[in-house]
């Protein structure tokens, strides 16, 4: 497609002003009681309308002043507009300049000097000019000729085509045939929505499409197709106890694991949905961000904990994270696919009515039915890290004398959140080579701050806010990061431990008079050393060392809150720094000597 010419600055300015005026009209909210109707119109000047049967004025097609876009009034910066006074035109010319007035004036070129002609017997007009251009002094330029004839009266023109339903007009405006309703296909193809049977409150099911929560314009969850790789959004919860209880106990609400277990997928668009989404694993997330295996058995609906004097109502066992895995069998030649199975790994947590919403993280992965489990874990390089790809991390695991790595989904994430603490499901993921920062808050009353400070554990407030999971794992030696972007979770030798500087820290001290806790951990910074290996033309990036540096600070309780909770800021960061490796080492063999060395006793005993 050819590039559009850039408009002159005054024309762009005029067009932008008009677009802004239109935008204001379109975006202005209509009154609540307004009824749908035709769009707003300009008033009609009936005095300018010709009488019935009268002849309409002829349309001038010369187009000699293309910027004259206003009737009977001066168009800004249009110097050829006859409605613009001479003084205004002079101001236009002295200011931003004139708008383009039309096509360039037509000229006739002559090969002879201009004084050789006394008169040119060709017509002139407003749209074109007959001019003479001076010829050169060389001998060959004195020949009498016309180099080109661009006279519009003599050249090619477009006849004014008739309006109305002529054959030519009807041919290009004919309506196409309405498409027939597509028949269900016997296979899925790339980009198709998955047919599903969605459970209803009556116990029946309704045909629909498989979808997962995704953020809309705001962070609130909206329905979305399952093609999403990963998404995090917030499901609103009602503040009143009765509505909150009804939502918690509803087995088909988005918060319930049963709404997932009761959904069935179709093997192909024409099949009856009969593939159950099996729950492959379920984990419980506590307030500190630690995971524990959920009790064995079939999925259960969330439980409701009523309000107490000191705590709002709580819904336990709600879905905080759902990682779907959909397996298919595809024809390599045509791409036609049949669904083989569907499973989900769940993380369950608790949500309070005071939270205002429940954060839900969802991911959907696709895999061939015959692919091994290891093929479902995306890598961040081959083998070195790619810039911006997730920093591989996990926890050391041991079983039967073997050591492996339980990789984090999505890579390493820093604590993040807001309002009421650090949300383990809404962390800030760290991309290799990209410095990352995040923040969240710890809501504590003065009594709670004093109690945590008196515990002697500098990380107790951070742990109470749910932001100490990575710090605790690193302090115990369980936290690992992948040295390579393709580090194998089955090979612990390709992973590096995360060291913790100055651990354990000194015990915090509580100053009762100042209502201040000194020496509390207010966050941490993860520092990573990186380097390059292999060929200088294709270097491979790797992590060389990882160290977590806790940040110590002081928190002071505000006496004016009279026992109310106060937010205390927590800040986290990940910083990458490349070591100085100097110039790449030469891998060339030494050059051969110019003269082949001879043994010293070659001429013995003569020399």
């Amino acid at each position: 497609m050819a590039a559009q010419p850039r408009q002159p600055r005054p024309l762009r300015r005029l067009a932008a002003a008009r677009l802004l005026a239109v935008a204001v009209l379109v975006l202005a909210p209509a009154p609540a009681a307004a009824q749908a109707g035709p769009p707003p119109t300009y008033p009609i000047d009936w005095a300018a309308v010709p009488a019935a049967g009268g002849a309409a004025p002829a349309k001038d097609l010369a187009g000699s002043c293309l910027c004259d876009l206003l009737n009977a009034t001066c168009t800004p910066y249009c110097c050829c507009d006859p409605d613009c006074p001479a003084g205004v035109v002079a101001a236009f010319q002295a200011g931003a300049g004139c708008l383009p007035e039309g096509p360039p004036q037509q000229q006739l070129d002559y090969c002879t000097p201009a004084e050789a002609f006394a008169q040119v017997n060709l017509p002139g007009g407003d749209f074109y000019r007959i001019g003479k251009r001076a010829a050169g002094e060389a001998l060959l330029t004195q020949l009498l000729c016309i180099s080109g004839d661009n006279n519009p009266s003599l050249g090619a023109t477009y006849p004014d085509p008739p309006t109305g339903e002529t054959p030519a007009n009807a041919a290009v405006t004919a309506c196409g045939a309405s498409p027939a309703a597509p028949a269900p296909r016997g296979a899925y193809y790339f980009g198709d929505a998955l047919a599903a049977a969605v459970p209803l409150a009556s116990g029946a099911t309704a045909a629909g499409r498989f979808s997962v929560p995704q953020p809309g314009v705001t962070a609130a969850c909206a329905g979305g197709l399952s093609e999403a790789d990963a998404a995090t959004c917030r499901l609103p919860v009602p503040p009143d106890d009765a509505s909150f209880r009804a939502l918690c106990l509803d087995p088909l609400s988005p918060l319930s694991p049963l709404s997932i277990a009761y959904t069935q997928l179709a093997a192909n668009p024409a099949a009856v949905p009969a593939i159950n989404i099996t729950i492959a694993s379920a984990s419980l997330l506590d307030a500190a961000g630690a995971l524990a295996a959920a009790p064995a058995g079939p999925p259960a609906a969330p439980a409701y904990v009523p309000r107490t004097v000191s705590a709002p109502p709580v819904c336990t066992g709600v879905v905080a994270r759902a990682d779907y895995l959909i397996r298919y069998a595809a024809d390599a030649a045509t791409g036609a696919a049949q669904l083989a199975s569907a499973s989900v790994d769940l993380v369950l947590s608790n949500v309070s009515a005071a939270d205002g919403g429940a954060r839900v993280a969802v991911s959907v992965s696709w895999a061939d039915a015959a692919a091994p489990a290891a093929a479902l874990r995306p890598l961040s390089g081959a083998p070195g890290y790619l810039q911006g790809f997730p920093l591989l991390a996990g926890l050391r695991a041991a079983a039967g004398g073997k050591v492996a790595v339980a990789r984090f989904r999505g890579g390493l994430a820093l604590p993040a959140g807001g309002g009421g603490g650090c949300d383990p499901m809404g962390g800030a993921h760290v991309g290799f080579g990209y410095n990352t920062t995040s923040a969240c808050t710890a809501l504590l009353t003065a009594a709670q701050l004093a109690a945590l400070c008196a515990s002697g554990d500098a990380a107790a407030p951070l742990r109470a806010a749910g932001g100490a999971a990575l710090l605790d794992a690193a302090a115990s030696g369980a936290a690992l990061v992948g040295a390579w972007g393709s580090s194998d979770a089955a090979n612990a030798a390709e992973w590096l431990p995360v060291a913790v500087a100055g651990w354990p820290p000194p015990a915090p001290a509580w100053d009762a008079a100042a209502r201040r806790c000194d020496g509390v951990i207010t966050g941490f910074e993860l520092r990573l050393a990186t380097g390059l290996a292999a060929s200088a033309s294709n270097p491979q990036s790797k992590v060389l060392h990882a160290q977590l540096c806790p940040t110590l600070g002081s928190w002071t309780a505000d006496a004016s809150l009279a026992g109310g909770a106060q937010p205390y800021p927590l800040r986290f960061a990940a910083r990458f720094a490349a070591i100085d490796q100097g110039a790449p080492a030469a891998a060339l063999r030494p050059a051969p000597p110019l003269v082949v060395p001879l043994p010293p006793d070659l001429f013995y005993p003569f020399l």
Side-chain angles (χ1 to χ4, degrees):
M1 182 176 180
Q4 298 296 323
R6 185 176 178 83
Q7 295 177 334
R9 183 174 300 171
L11 186 58
R12 296 200 307 271
R13 189 162 59 248
L14 178 61
R18 294 188 176 182
L19 288 176
L20 178 60
V22 174
V24 171
L25 289 175
V26 172
L27 297 179
Q35 300 296 322
T41 61
Y42 291 108
I44 299 175
D45 183 8
W46 290 104
V49 178
K59 184 67 65 178
D60 182 12
L61 301 181
S64 57
C65 188
L66 300 186
C67 61
D68 183 8
L69 303 180
L70 297 177
N71 285 326
T73 187
C74 178
T75 303
Y77 298 101
C78 185
C79 299
C80 64
D81 189 343
D83 298 315
C84 294
V88 176
V89 172
F92 293 162
Q93 295 170 342
C98 299
L99 293 173
E101 300 178 0
Q105 299 293 343
Q106 301 292 334
Q107 300 286 343
L108 294 181
D109 295 337
Y110 293 88
C111 303
T112 59
E115 60 271 13
F117 291 90
Q119 182 179 359
V120 178
N121 58 349
L122 292 176
D126 293 336
F127 180 65
Y128 54 89
R129 297 288 186 271
I130 302 300
K132 300 177 183 179
R133 296 182 182 176
E137 300 298 331
L139 175 62
L140 295 179
T141 64
Q142 303 301 314
L143 299 177
L144 176 60
C145 66
I146 297 178
S147 64
D149 183 0
N150 296 322
N151 190 328
S153 296
L154 304 177
T157 60
Y158 287 104
D160 186 9
T163 58
E165 193 175 355
T166 65
N169 297 344
V172 297
T173 58
C175 299
S178 300
R185 294 185 296 183
Y188 289 111
Y189 293 86
F190 181 80
D192 286 350
L194 300 184
V198 182
L200 301 177
S202 61
T205 59
R209 296 188 304 175
F210 174 62
S211 64
V212 296
Q214 291 191 52
V217 178
T218 64
C221 294
L225 296 181
S226 57
E227 287 85 359
D229 179 36
T232 301
C233 57
R234 191 173 183 85
L235 288 168
V237 297
D240 61 287
D241 291 10
S243 301
F244 180 76
R245 180 179 184 276
L247 177 66
C248 179
L249 299 180
D250 182 4
L252 303 182
S253 77
L255 301 178
S256 174
L258 297 181
S259 65
I260 300 175
Y262 291 163
T263 300
Q264 293 180 315
L265 303 181
N268 60 68
V272 176
I275 299 177
N276 294 315
I277 301 178
T278 59
I279 298 179
S281 67
S283 304
L284 297 177
L285 181 70
D286 61 19
L291 287 174
Y304 176 75
V305 179
R307 180 185 296 272
T308 63
V309 176
S310 58
V314 176
C315 188
T316 64
V318 303
V319 176
R321 184 181 184 96
D323 297 299
Y324 293 89
L325 172 60
I326 300 176
R327 290 181 175 270
Y328 59 88
D331 186 284
T334 64
Q338 303 284 330
L339 290 192
S341 64
S343 61
V344 63
D345 295 302
L346 296 179
V347 175
L348 308 178
S349 67
N350 303 336
V351 61
S352 167
D355 295 338
R359 188 178 295 272
V360 180
V362 182
S363 70
V364 179
S365 301
W366 304 80
D368 189 273
L376 308 179
R377 302 171 187 146
L379 303 177
S380 294
Y385 275 100
L386 298 175
Q387 289 290 323
F389 276 60
L391 177 67
L392 302 186
L395 300 176
R396 183 185 300 273
K402 298 180 179 180
V403 177
V405 179
R407 266 186 56 183
F408 295 151
R409 295 179 182 268
L412 182 72
L414 299 177
C422 304
D423 190 346
M425 294 294 100
H429 289 271
V430 179
F432 179 84
Y434 287 11
N435 294 337
T436 307
T437 59
S438 66
C440 53
T441 57
L443 283 177
L444 301 172
T445 63
Q448 291 172 335
L449 178 61
L452 292 173
C453 194
S455 67
D457 183 4
L462 178 65
R463 194 172 293 111
L470 180 60
L471 176 63
D472 288 340
S476 65
L480 303 173
V481 295
W484 298 98
S486 60
S487 292
D488 186 0
N491 184 5
E494 297 182 355
W495 297 76
L496 304 173
V498 179
V500 182
W503 193 262
W510 174 253
D511 188 334
R515 301 166 58 91
R516 186 182 69 241
C517 181
D518 298 323
V520 64
I521 294 180
T522 60
F524 57 77
E525 181 176 294
L526 178 63
R527 301 184 179 181
L528 300 112
T530 64
L532 301 175
S535 171
S537 62
N538 184 27
Q540 304 295 316
S541 300
K542 63 181 300 188
V543 176
L544 306 176
H545 182 59
Q547 179 167 256
L548 195 148
C549 305
T551 304
L552 300 179
S554 299
W555 284 352
T556 302
D558 190 346
S560 65
L561 295 179
Q566 176 181 342
Y568 295 93
L570 298 167
R571 296 181 176 86
F572 310 91
R575 303 279 186 245
F576 291 84
I579 64 171
D580 185 6
Q581 296 179 257
L588 300 177
R589 296 180 179 178
L594 297 179
V595 178
V596 178
L598 301 176
D601 58 347
L602 178 63
F603 299 103
Y604 180 82
F606 306 102
L607 293 177

